[in-house]
Amino acid sequence: MADDHTHVQGFFTARAADWDSRFPDDGPAYAAAVHSLALGPGDAVLDAGCGTGRALPALRVAVGPRGAVLGVDLTAAMLESAVRAGRDRSGALLLADVARLPLRSQSLDAVFAAGLISHLSHPGPDLAELARVVRPGGQLALFHPIGRAALAARHGRRITDADLRAEHNLRPLLARSGWRLDSYTDEDDRFLALAVRTL
């Protein structure tokens, strides 16, 4: 978990230019995760911590031309990579902190967040901020294209019971933040936790 934004920005700025080329086969996994949100035409959705915008095209398809798609990221270099890839045509891009979103309360139908939770400085309050901007009954998808064990192995680590994304930790964290965990998948080829905004 990051202690401050400078660490997160430094990490992603150094990797932004070649981020997509490092993970060239993730597109179908992103599309499948977006599909799981069951968004409809005209819905408004936020890609929180959108990075290079890999989810934006699938989100645009899901909500159609009348829907609203917004990608927010803390790192300018990642957004610049999204523009170079043409993904700004699928949604508006905004340099902002997901902990302090410049959005009206209950203005969204869903939030998609790929790889975000492990980079949040204050997971509880930050997830509560995501809940603030989603209408009651709206959804949150916490996604990663590989599961916890595979990701840990990629970084030369082993997962522990203290892992924030473990179901026994994530479920109460979400509940305290205004979300109800509805489904949880942690397999080698994907991590996907779907939650619903409570009243």
Side-chain angles (χ1 to χ4, degrees):
M1 211 177 323
D3 291 326
D4 59 59
H5 294 334
T6 304
H7 171 79
V8 173
Q9 289 170 317
F11 178 89
F12 285 107
T13 296
R15 294 161 175 81
D18 68 344
W19 187 261
D20 286 350
S21 63
R22 293 174 61 197
F23 310 105
D25 302 322
D26 286 350
Y30 273 77
V34 167
H35 181 73
S36 71
L37 280 172
L39 294 164
D43 280 352
V45 60
L46 169 68
D47 185 353
C50 68
T52 62
R54 288 183 291 174
L56 296 179
L59 291 169
R60 170 55 64 199
V61 169
V63 303
R66 293 185 297 109
V69 177
L70 175 62
V72 168
D73 204 274
L74 189 63
T75 306
M78 294 297 267
L79 295 177
E80 290 162 9
S81 289
V83 171
R84 280 194 301 276
R87 296 182 184 126
D88 57 324
R89 293 190 294 269
S90 295
L93 298 175
L94 179 64
L95 182 66
D97 184 355
V98 299
R100 289 181 297 280
L101 290 165
L103 300 172
R104 288 179 292 115
S105 296
Q106 299 185 16
S107 59
L108 301 173
D109 297 292
V111 173
F112 183 85
L116 176 70
I117 193 165
S118 60
H119 297 288
L120 296 176
S121 298
H122 307 287
D126 295 346
L127 289 168
E129 172 66 356
L130 294 179
R132 179 187 69 79
V133 299
V134 173
R135 63 171 174 77
Q139 294 189 83
L140 169 68
L142 298 175
F143 168 71
H144 200 283
I146 60 175
R148 293 187 309 125
L151 183 61
R154 178 187 286 175
H155 296 290
R157 298 191 302 262
R158 298 170 72 177
I159 55 173
T160 70
D161 284 345
D163 185 345
L164 190 61
R165 292 161 299 168
E167 184 174 6
H168 65 267
N169 295 324
L170 187 59
R171 185 177 295 278
L173 173 64
L174 286 167
R176 290 191 301 270
S177 305
W179 299 99
R180 181 187 72 242
L181 183 63
D182 265 9
S183 71
Y184 181 90
T185 304
D186 182 17
E187 300 168 345
D188 283 347
D189 60 352
R190 76 170 177 161
F191 173 89
L192 181 62
L194 294 174
V196 173
R197 174 71 168 98
T198 54
L199 299 176

